[in-house]
Amino acid sequence: MYLADEAWPDLETYFAEESLAIVPLGSTEQHGPHLPLATDHLIAEGLAREAAERSGYLCTPTVNVGVSPHHRQFHGTMWVDAPEFRDYVESFTRNLTYHGIDRVVYVNAHGGNVEHLQEVGRRLHADETAFCVEWMWDESIPDLVDDLFEHNGPHGGPKETAMIQHLRPELVHDDRLDDAAEGGVREFEKYFAGEVEPEGRPPMVNGARTFYDARDNSENGVFGDQTDATAAKGAELFDAASEQLVQLCEWLADADYEALMPADHV
């Protein structure tokens, strides 16, 4: 069920019988020369809507702009500062609890949102308002991702490319895949392990991270080998991650609420 499509009288039964909401969140930021700025929020919304369709749980509208200042040097990237993002997410989550929701799955497809969604969940858990979890699609199926791609990457790489090829193929510039791989960091893990000579300063020095922005490491903003992506692989990723999300929602909906709340002081 998609909340925004419903008339308010038709939501009464859901709120009377269910207590879980699925909230998709992403970003509007550069994803290399080949993918749209909408990549993250398209993936988050696609997975959230699919899980809602399969399970019957409520899906809210998508939060399209996230914490993305580390991509600011690339044209069109949008972001909000972290404190405002946290406060906004906390505020609308408290709004959901007013209607009877007491557990939320944040379906997140942007790495820059992770720690902030977890902090919101901690706040709402501490005052026993709701139990909220942050879920990243690729972290739910790591073995499949590794099996499908030889050179993966955390941003604009083959897994995100494949997902958009599956979800919105008309937005993928397939003629730029070679340029994306050649102009970015193709062997991401070796690069950060110091096994690939960087053009500028190394990303890590004696355990300290030396960068703040994506462009410090990647000239075109991406990591991994995008030429390894296909729509068929994207469909496989999408189906597997959707099933993981449904199972998470079912577990959370069935959990005893008191057992989810903070333990007593020792």
Side-chain angles (χ1 to χ4, degrees), residues 234-246:
E236 188 174 354
L237 292 171
F238 184 81
D239 183 64
S242 295
E243 183 57 33
Q244 290 293 311
L245 178 54
V246 168

Side-chain angles (χ1 to χ4, degrees), residues 15-37:
F15 287 124
E17 298 178 354
E18 302 288 353
S19 57
L20 183 139
I22 303 170
V23 178
L25 306 98
S27 68
T28 299
E29 63 179 24
Q30 72 85 17
H31 274 78
H34 62 301
L35 291 178
L37 274 69

Side-chain angles (χ1 to χ4, degrees), residues 18-132:
E18 302 288 353
S19 57
L20 183 139
I22 303 170
V23 178
L25 306 98
S27 68
T28 299
E29 63 179 24
Q30 72 85 17
H31 274 78
H34 62 301
L35 291 178
L37 274 69
T39 291
D40 286 344
H41 70 249
L42 289 175
I43 292 173
E45 181 168 327
L47 289 167
R49 296 284 290 266
E50 178 68 16
E53 181 70 22
R54 293 187 187 188
S55 67
Y57 292 118
L58 186 72
C59 177
T60 73
T62 304
V63 177
N64 290 340
V65 178
V67 183
S68 304
H70 49 295
H71 294 290
R72 68 188 188 279
Q73 290 101 334
F74 297 91
H75 301 311
T77 291
M78 300 182 68
W79 70 90
V80 292
D81 290 334
E84 284 72 19
F85 177 80
R86 291 192 296 264
D87 289 348
Y88 178 75
V89 175
E90 180 179 351
S91 180
F92 75 65
T93 303
R94 290 186 186 277
N95 155 232
L96 290 171
T97 68
Y98 176 81
H99 296 296
I101 297 298
D102 61 19
R103 52 203 84 188
V104 173
V105 177
Y106 295 127
V107 177
N108 176 41
H110 172 50
N113 293 340
V114 171
E115 63 182 295
H116 309 297
L117 293 172
Q118 292 173 346
E119 169 59 18
V120 170
R122 188 199 64 77
R123 294 180 188 177
L124 296 167
H125 182 252
D127 64 17
E128 302 189 22
T129 298
F131 189 84
C132 308

